[in-house]
Amino acid sequence: MIWSNMETLDREAFRKIQLERLKKTVPRVYNNVPFYKKAFQEAGVEPGDIKTLEDVSKLPMTVKQDFRDNYPFGLFSSPQEEIVRFHASSGTTGKPTVVGYTRNDMDTWSECVARMVSMAGVTNKDTAQISFGYGLFTGALGLQQGLERIGASVIPMSSGNTKKQIMIMKDFRTTTLISTPSYALHMAEIAREMGVDPKTDLNLKFGLFGGEGSTEAMRNELIDSWGLFATENYGMSELIGPGVSGECEALCGMHINEDHFLPEIIDPKTGKVLGEGEVGELVITTITKEALPIIRYRTKDITSLHYEKCECGRTTVRMSKIQGRSDDMLILGGVNVFPSQIEEVLLNTEGIGPHYQIKVFKKGYLDKIEVDVELIDANLLDSFSLLEALRNTIKGRLRTVLGIDAKVTLLEPRSLARFEGKAQRVIDMRGAK
Amino acid sequence: MLVKQISIFIPNVKGSLAKLTSILVKNNIDIRAISVFDTTEFGILRLVVDNPEETVSILTKEGIVAKISDVLAVEPEDKPGSLDEIFQILSDNDINIDYIYSYVMRMRELPYIVLKTDHMEKAAKILIERGIKVIQ
Ligand SMILES: [Zn+2]
């Protein structure tokens, strides 16, 4: 169901609200955040220069490093007494990215997630098991607030302890699973090991997956494993957490809550703003946040925007499935490759499991790639030639996306790493000394 | 007239054979015949054991890819040319041998020969007709 009438406004109404809110956000950061004042001055722009929605492109962009440089509270627009919650995301190196929320921000956040879970089909009749890790991460608590707002029954399970997850899922008659796609695959595997068929012995109807990108092939794998309706959602702590956008039941992109988030697509190399339907990096300006409004945040995610009305009835702009991250993009012998393209090939190949590991390294001046997969089809053991044919099929299909030959290694089931949170399937050793 | 053999996937990873044999020992599974065919990248191990179904279910639980298939076990006579005779018969009848290995039973001097061919039933029937001893 459509949770809010803000999801069905006509385009002109959206633009009017967005401009109004942008015009309030810009002076807020200019006057409260020295980092932004300086950045505005360097870009030669003042709050008064924002007269139309398109003027947003005159504003300076914000990147993840700016959060680190201003650790912990340097980008905040509100004083501590107005902050009611902190969250943080751990970077791989150095200090975490710290974010804060005022009471109004908490309300905005819950509202955005309430819309998102309603879009996925969840109602107050559902019991939702949250298998994201709790703690400083925004994922688990963000989903919890939104689910509670629509009246669903929440099980704050957190990630890990997978056997117990399955037991609770069975005993509490969980209908909705919230997790990363890779953890959901792992959970299905453990359930089957325990003698529980996720399709017939459980009551799952909806899977809301987020926290990491996934492909259509991964979605199909999740549907096959769990027998549920799988949607994907998108968000990041720098912007609010989960709730920036999510898929509706029509499955044709993720609706952005654009009365709160103003999206643009840019060419990641030149920074030039691209048009509707063009593929580039998603840049978002938060237009209602109080504690931590962010101007033109470079998400690094590669996607495109589509404005025509959706068959679900919503008019909010849709972003297409994330094709990859501009900083995950692998350049192999001059060819640009996203790990998602490799995943698509592997998940569409019969005989192997959905888990994989990619290793990239240099041999002399040449880029080399190794792909490890798990053999699951015992019927291929009748002869060597069947196993070799499988390996050659994978190699051949990978060659069409990679442009170079990968070394493909077949391993036993369950021999590759499993992930309870965000999967780390690509190891690029080219930077290592 | 056919014998059940287990085919097992052996990745080219250090310790994979040892892992397999330790599972077999732990479950008191006697190996009657074993043979490994490998390349530099992976191998297929063939086993003959007393309880193939049970063994496959144990192995599968341990995360090993294993499959039962039928093979032909013959007992060549103790005379020169006895293997040649078997191969000639199969060849004359357009039966291809995919692979072959042998195993020794206690109390016997000569090994049994295990054969995998493209037409198993036909091969067994013809060999029996020609007086070759096929293990039941
Ligand atoms: Zn829709």
Side-chain angles (χ1 to χ4, degrees):
Chain A
M1 66 169 260
I2 298 178
W3 179 254
S4 163
N5 55 19
M6 294 304 282
E7 298 172 82
T8 51
L9 298 181
D10 62 48
R11 186 51 37 201
E12 270 320 298
F14 270 128
R15 289 178 56 87
K16 190 164 164 278
I17 290 174
Q18 286 172 330
L19 180 60
E20 241 166 56
R21 294 180 171 179
L22 180 66
K23 278 177 159 176
K24 277 191 192 152
T25 297
V26 167
R28 182 177 181 85
V29 298
Y30 186 84
N31 294 322
N32 293 321
V33 186
F35 163 82
Y36 275 123
K37 183 169 236 161
K38 188 164 166 263
F40 276 48
Q41 285 165 350
E42 280 169 9
V45 56
E46 285 187 353
D49 295 337
I50 303 303
K51 296 192 174 70
T52 70
L53 210 47
E54 282 64 34
D55 289 335
V56 72
S57 67
K58 296 177 180 165
L59 297 173
M61 294 198 249
T62 311
V63 296
K64 189 165 183 93
Q65 187 61 37
D66 297 328
F67 280 83
R68 297 203 185 103
D69 294 345
N70 293 281
Y71 175 85
F73 311 133
L75 295 182
F76 282 35
S77 284
S78 298
Q80 180 272 324
E81 61 265 33
E82 287 173 21
I83 306 290
V84 298
R85 172 84 67 79
F86 289 118
H87 277 285
S89 68
S90 69
T92 40
T93 52
K95 300 284 192 188
T97 304
V98 180
V99 299
Y101 304 78
T102 64
R103 203 167 291 286
N104 285 336
D105 290 337
M106 292 301 291
D107 186 64
T108 302
W109 190 13
S110 301
E111 177 64 19
C112 288
V113 177
R115 290 183 195 172
M116 182 188 97
V117 298
S118 301
M119 259 188 259
V122 182
T123 68
N124 60 356
K125 305 252 183 344
D126 288 297
T127 298
Q129 184 159 335
I130 300 182
S131 305
F132 279 143
Y134 273 76
L136 282 173
F137 289 99
T138 50
L141 280 158
L143 259 300
Q144 176 169 336
Q145 291 144 204
L147 285 160
E148 285 175 355
R149 177 163 290 204
I150 68 156
S153 316
V154 170
I155 311 172
M157 193 69 206
S158 199
S159 62
N161 205 347
T162 309
K163 284 191 173 146
K164 195 166 174 194
Q165 299 259 8
I166 306 299
M167 184 189 84
I168 296 280
M169 211 176 264
K170 195 159 188 257
D171 297 347
F172 289 23
R173 304 182 66 80
T174 301
T175 64
T176 304
L177 173 64
I178 316 283
S179 74
T180 60
S182 39
Y183 188 40
L185 280 184
H186 178 54
M187 276 194 265
E189 201 170 47
I190 298 289
R192 285 189 293 264
E193 251 170 60
M194 291 165 69
V196 174
D197 181 343
K199 272 186 155 163
T200 55
D201 300 340
L202 299 171
N203 305 286
L204 285 161
K205 290 194 305 195
F206 305 111
L208 275 63
F209 301 109
E212 65 183 4
S214 81
T215 56
E216 276 308 313
M218 180 74 116
R219 186 208 302 274
N220 293 333
E221 196 74 39
L222 288 164
I223 294 169
D224 278 353
S225 303
W226 287 100
L228 44 64
F229 181 70
T231 53
E232 202 182 353
N233 56 73
Y234 177 84
M236 53 181 61
S237 60
E238 295 89 327
L239 297 173
I240 202 161
V244 173
S245 67
E247 280 180 318
C248 65
E249 287 157 285
L251 296 180
C252 46
M254 293 183 277
H255 287 278
I256 299 177
N257 284 312
E258 51 173 330
D259 48 331
H260 299 286
F261 304 99
L262 177 65
E264 302 167 84
I265 295 291
I266 62 160
D267 178 329
K269 286 201 190 82
T270 62
K272 185 176 160 269
V273 177
L274 302 177
E276 175 170 3
E278 288 187 89
V279 176
E281 180 179 335
L282 178 68
V283 168
I284 285 185
T285 301
T286 69
I287 51 175
T288 52
K289 278 178 77 198
E290 295 178 341
L292 189 55
I294 295 297
I295 305 297
R296 302 191 82 205
Y297 187 64
R298 291 194 61 163
T299 64
K300 303 280 183 190
D301 290 315
I302 304 293
T303 181
S304 55
L305 296 176
H306 305 273
Y307 286 89
E308 70 277 21
K309 184 178 172 181
C310 179
E311 62 182 80
C312 74
R314 290 176 184 82
T315 52
T316 42
V317 62
R318 285 166 288 134
M319 54 188 270
S320 61
K321 196 172 228 348
I322 304 291
Q323 295 184 5
R325 288 180 56 78
S326 57
D327 53 2
D328 284 352
M329 192 176 73
L330 294 167
I331 303 177
L332 295 170
V335 178
N336 295 349
V337 182
F338 287 112
S340 58
Q341 290 172 279
I342 301 175
E343 177 176 308
E344 197 82 42
V345 166
L346 297 176
L347 267 60
N348 283 319
T349 304
E350 299 274 319
I352 56 172
H355 301 273
Y356 60 92
Q357 185 89 60
I358 299 166
K359 279 172 275 181
V360 185
F361 55 94
K362 274 229 186 283
K363 202 168 180 185
Y365 292 105
L366 292 177
D367 291 322
K368 295 277 173 195
I369 181 164
E370 291 185 1
V371 179
D372 291 353
V373 294
E374 294 177 358
L375 175 75
I376 52 167
D377 185 2
N379 288 319
L380 302 176
L381 295 177
D382 280 342
S383 78
F384 251 140
S385 50
L386 291 174
L387 279 182
E388 263 164 358
L390 169 68
R391 205 194 43 194
N392 291 337
T393 303
I394 300 171
K395 263 181 127 152
R397 289 179 183 173
L398 285 176
R399 194 172 215 298
T400 61
V401 298
L402 298 174
I404 61 171
D405 275 324
K407 176 171 188 265
V408 175
T409 304
L410 300 177
L411 295 169
E412 285 175 327
R414 286 185 265 150
S415 52
L416 292 170
R418 299 296 193 261
F419 302 94
E420 290 178 353
K422 208 175 152 95
Q424 299 256 319
R425 302 196 195 278
V426 182
I427 305 171
D428 193 338
M429 290 173 290
R430 288 174 299 180
K433 295 266 156 64
Chain B
M1 124 182 95
L2 297 174
V3 172
K4 291 204 183 311
Q5 149 201 272
I6 305 175
S7 302
I8 297 165
F9 176 64
I10 303 289
N12 181 26
V13 175
K14 209 174 138 198
S16 19
L17 262 179
K19 175 186 160 194
L20 175 76
T21 49
S22 80
I23 295 169
L24 296 176
V25 168
K26 203 171 69 195
N27 291 282
N28 297 316
I29 297 163
D30 273 338
I31 300 172
R32 289 171 54 187
I34 184 166
S35 140
V36 190
F37 302 75
D38 71 351
T39 64
T40 51
E41 297 183 37
F42 48 75
I44 300 175
L45 184 131
R46 319 274 185 197
L47 275 186
V48 180
V49 298
D50 286 328
N51 291 308
E53 280 87 6
E54 195 196 328
T55 305
V56 165
S57 105
I58 290 168
L59 292 174
T60 307
K61 275 206 191 89
E62 297 277 351
I64 288 171
V65 187
K67 184 199 179 202
I68 294 180
S69 51
D70 290 332
V71 285
L72 201 56
V74 299
E75 191 182 335
E77 276 183 79
D78 185 10
K79 64 172 191 197
S82 64
L83 266 182
D84 177 59
E85 185 190 357
I86 294 170
F87 295 156
Q88 290 305 336
I89 294 169
L90 294 175
S91 164
D92 291 347
N93 288 280
D94 284 329
I95 294 168
N96 288 314
I97 298 173
D98 295 333
Y99 54 82
I100 178 168
Y101 57 96
S102 62
Y103 70 94
V104 182
M105 291 293 282
R106 281 183 206 110
M107 320 298 288
R108 265 183 54 89
E109 280 177 18
L110 279 177
Y112 292 122
I113 303 294
V114 175
L115 288 165
K116 174 82 169 69
T117 66
D118 51 358
H119 296 98
M120 299 295 296
E121 299 284 343
K122 184 180 166 196
K125 196 168 152 267
I126 289 165
L127 289 174
I128 292 167
E129 278 170 13
R130 297 288 292 269
I132 306 287
K133 209 166 167 198
V134 172
I135 311 294
Q136 302 293 316

